[in-house]
Amino acid sequence: MLTCDAVDRLENKMILDAIGIGAGPTNLSVAALSKKVSELRVALIEQKPCVRWHDGMLLPEARLQVNMLKDLVTLVDPTSRYSFVSFLHTKGRLLQFINADFKRVMRAEFDQYLRWVAEELGCITYGQEVREVSYDGLFRIRTDDRSWRTRNIVLGVGKSPTIPEAFRSIRDASVFHSADYRENGHRCKGRRVCVVGGGQSGAEIVNNLLSENNVRPSAISWISRRSNFRPLEESCFTDEFYTPSFSRYFFVQNAERREVILRDLHLSSDGISTSLLRELYQKLYWLRHMGGEPMGVELLPGCEVRKVSRGSGAWQLECNGANAARANVVADIVVLAAGYGFAPPAFLQPIADRLIVEHGTIIVDKDYSAIWRVPTRGNIYALNTTSFQWGAADPNLSLLSWRSAAVVNSLAGRSVYRLREGDQLIDWQPQDAELEPRMVSA
Ligand SMILES: Cc1cc2nc3c(=O)[nH]c(=O)nc-3n(C[C@H](O)[C@H](O)[C@H](O)COP(=O)(O)OP(=O)(O)OC[C@H]3O[C@@H](n4cnc5c(N)ncnc54)[C@H](O)[C@@H]3O)c2cc1C
């Protein structure tokens, strides 16, 4: 593996084996696991000045929604020096961490961990937004002022904030996505705030508005399309859906069946953690019955915002749904906690005719490499883009290291990491050798 300086010096002269676009958990995991393969030269390009993990939502109370062992490496290589435990040890806080007895790791600490791995890897070029990927037998990646040549690309650009239809034409600082909450939260102080979205982010924001003095609004309306503020489905049996064997099982189902499964599993990834729901309920109970400063809190599940207009110096939100009769909301500030979606990045346009895109995602093979429409040497691996093919585990951390290991095996052309553990309690399907990831040469 090259150091960052070396990558910078050689970028235009040397052809790398793989370049990861984006330095979020996905590509950090690929880069960390690729260290085991001495002949692989891998580098990452990141648009931000350093690694930050969803920094707009790094709230003090926010917790990781998966076990800390589902870090960048541990599932496939528990001896790796890039594990979360190794980070705690290196920072001299392992014992204190154990004594603190956190049920779930703080997201802020996981963010620190990711930055530590990034520094240790030393193969990331920051502050470069990829603008174009082209192909002439090799891939060329171009940013505004630099370019790189590589045999393979690993796409780890994450997802983009979803703006609900009714808000798409609005450009105003008083309407913002939850992804930008940390820098805009101060706008909420003393104002009427409407939070649109009844998932984990919406709940974290309402909790923050109720807890922190420097953002405390005069009133909160919380709108969700769902019939109630629904809990994340969390149980050991639900976790069986987040195993490699279930992902393999999902991969070989037909499209109709996959849609049915995804609908069925929705609340196993998109609900609100039970502990947060309880905390919120108790805070609302306190507000209503035990005094404190008065604050109107309006809970509006079963509602969808249909139309937004500006009147009397405020936003007027017309909603319909189960609670429509009482859901005309007036707000000074609107926070859109409406989730994230994937669309093939515009920088792939020059090679778009080589890719197969269905259901808005790039269709990939068993090793996560894009299936080519026309013969092409080398691969583009697309990670965290393919729930439609790989199931509910695809966008989250649960199987992150397993996915990355499949990519590293494919790049190395051999089984560097063992992927077929007896990892599940439920036998989703008989073992099937044909489902081993396809190997290609680097
Ligand atoms: C607030 C929040 C909390 C979450 N918490 C959890 C959790 O607790 N557990 C869990 O399992 N999942 C969680 N998730 C899901 C999350 O998607 C994954 O945890 C993880 O961040 C996915 O990693 P990624 O690297 O694919 O994408 P990202 O983390 O989004 O990283 C993508 C990176 O690519 C960079 N990039 C994008 N475009 C370009 C470009 N053109 N050029 C260069 N760089 C580019 C971005 O700047 C970014 O750094 C959470 C998601 C959110 C939004």
Side-chain angles (χ1 to χ4, degrees):
M1 177 82 66
L2 293 167
T3 63
C4 196
D5 279 355
V7 171
D8 279 357
R9 261 185 280 115
L10 295 174
E11 66 190 26
N12 276 316
K13 302 176 195 93
M14 175 185 257
I15 297 159
L16 293 165
D17 294 310
I19 290 186
I21 305 180
T26 289
N27 271 334
L28 289 173
S29 171
V30 171
L33 292 175
S34 73
K35 282 273 195 182
K36 214 172 183 174
V37 190
S38 56
E39 69 273 19
L40 273 185
R41 288 155 305 169
V42 177
L44 308 184
I45 302 172
E46 167 59 48
Q47 62 189 3
K48 290 189 254 179
C50 66
V51 165
R52 291 313 305 258
W53 188 48
H54 303 304
D55 44 336
M57 281 297 290
L58 277 184
L59 304 174
E61 319 81 23
R63 295 284 187 272
L64 207 59
Q65 281 189 306
V66 291
N67 189 294
M68 66 172 193
L69 296 179
K70 293 180 170 180
D71 60 12
L72 300 178
V73 291
T74 300
L75 276 189
V76 293
D77 187 2
T79 62
S80 168
R81 56 176 284 234
Y82 301 107
S83 69
F84 184 69
V85 172
S86 168
F87 157 75
L88 293 174
H89 178 68
T90 308
K91 294 289 178 189
R93 58 171 103 144
L94 183 54
L95 252 181
Q96 289 166 50
F97 180 83
I98 294 168
N99 293 345
D101 200 20
F102 294 111
K103 193 159 183 293
R104 287 275 191 237
V105 170
M106 289 176 280
R107 277 220 302 267
E109 190 165 33
F110 201 75
D111 172 61
Q112 278 186 356
Y113 157 64
L114 296 179
R115 228 169 0 271
W116 172 78
V117 173
E119 276 161 27
E120 295 290 304
L121 287 170
C123 66
I124 306 169
T125 303
Y126 292 106
Q128 295 288 316
E129 180 179 353
V130 171
R131 300 282 191 194
E132 189 180 85
V133 169
S134 54
Y135 177 80
D136 58 4
L138 289 166
F139 296 103
R140 180 179 285 279
I141 297 176
R142 197 183 56 72
T143 62
D144 279 340
D145 44 277
R146 295 159 82 159
S147 72
W148 292 257
R149 309 232 328 138
T150 177
R151 295 190 177 86
N152 301 283
I153 287 177
V154 191
L155 211 55
V157 291
K159 297 189 170 170
S160 309
T162 300
I163 307 296
E165 179 72 44
F167 295 92
R168 287 205 188 132
S169 58
I170 298 175
R171 303 272 176 279
D172 194 289
S174 59
V175 177
F176 53 88
H177 194 272
S178 55
D180 302 315
Y181 178 71
R182 244 170 39 120
E183 60 180 277
N184 286 292
H186 65 93
R187 297 180 195 280
C188 299
K189 188 159 176 71
R191 318 291 294 279
R192 292 164 295 179
V193 176
C194 178
V195 177
V196 180
Q200 180 73 14
S201 291
E204 285 180 8
I205 286 170
V206 172
N207 190 38
N208 189 258
L209 293 172
L210 290 171
S211 314
E212 300 253 342
N213 257 337
N214 58 345
V215 294
R216 195 181 160 87
S218 60
I220 301 175
S221 305
W222 187 15
I223 294 178
S224 172
R225 273 196 307 206
R226 294 177 191 164
S227 58
N228 201 340
F229 300 102
R230 306 285 300 275
L232 184 71
E233 215 186 298
E234 291 172 288
S235 88
C236 4
F237 283 96
T238 302
D239 283 344
E240 287 284 303
F241 291 124
Y242 292 81
T243 55
S245 45
F246 185 77
S247 290
R248 288 194 200 100
Y249 165 84
F250 186 91
F251 188 81
V252 295
Q253 306 301 311
N254 64 36
E256 266 172 31
R257 175 92 186 107
R258 279 189 249 151
E259 269 176 37
V260 172
I261 298 174
L262 278 180
R263 265 201 305 277
D264 186 44
L265 293 187
H266 194 60
L267 285 173
S268 71
S269 63
D270 278 356
I272 304 168
S273 63
T274 325
S275 53
L276 178 56
L277 278 178
R278 187 177 309 108
E279 195 179 332
L280 267 173
Y281 199 96
Q282 289 174 353
K283 276 186 186 151
L284 293 170
Y285 179 93
W286 167 265
L287 267 178
R288 182 167 288 192
H289 302 295
M290 318 284 286
E293 279 176 53
M295 186 201 303
V297 180
E298 189 179 27
L299 300 174
L300 297 166
C303 277
E304 185 164 3
V305 181
R306 291 294 184 193
K307 206 170 150 205
V308 184
S309 55
R310 193 83 191 153
S312 316
W315 296 106
Q316 316 280 335
L317 278 60
E318 278 176 43
C319 311
N320 65 11
N323 295 330
R326 59 189 179 92
N328 280 329
V329 173
V330 179
D332 305 307
I333 305 288
V334 182
V335 188
L336 302 172
Y340 298 77
F342 177 79
F347 60 68
L348 291 178
Q349 195 48 41
I351 56 162
D353 56 348
R354 294 176 182 271
L355 300 164
I356 303 170
V357 176
E358 283 174 19
H359 299 260
T361 65
I362 298 166
I363 298 300
V364 297
D365 211 335
K366 292 162 200 144
D367 60 354
Y368 289 88
S369 65
I371 294 176
W372 296 123
R373 209 184 265 288
V374 290
T376 304
R377 261 182 38 211
N379 283 321
I380 293 188
Y381 300 90
L383 296 165
N384 184 8
T385 64
T386 58
S387 306
F388 169 68
Q389 277 189 284
W390 283 103
D394 194 64
N396 67 33
L397 302 177
S398 294
L399 295 180
L400 176 73
S401 58
W402 178 76
R403 287 192 292 271
S404 309
V407 171
V408 172
N409 283 358
S410 177
L411 284 169
R414 61 189 163 89
S415 268
V416 182
Y417 295 99
R418 200 163 44 128
L419 298 176
R420 296 187 66 80
E421 301 276 352
D423 55 60
Q424 77 287 8
L425 191 67
I426 299 172
D427 217 359
W428 296 108
Q429 64 172 27
Q431 299 295 300
D432 181 354
E434 198 223 315
L435 290 177
E436 279 293 356
R438 184 169 62 101
M439 302 294 177
V440 295
S441 302

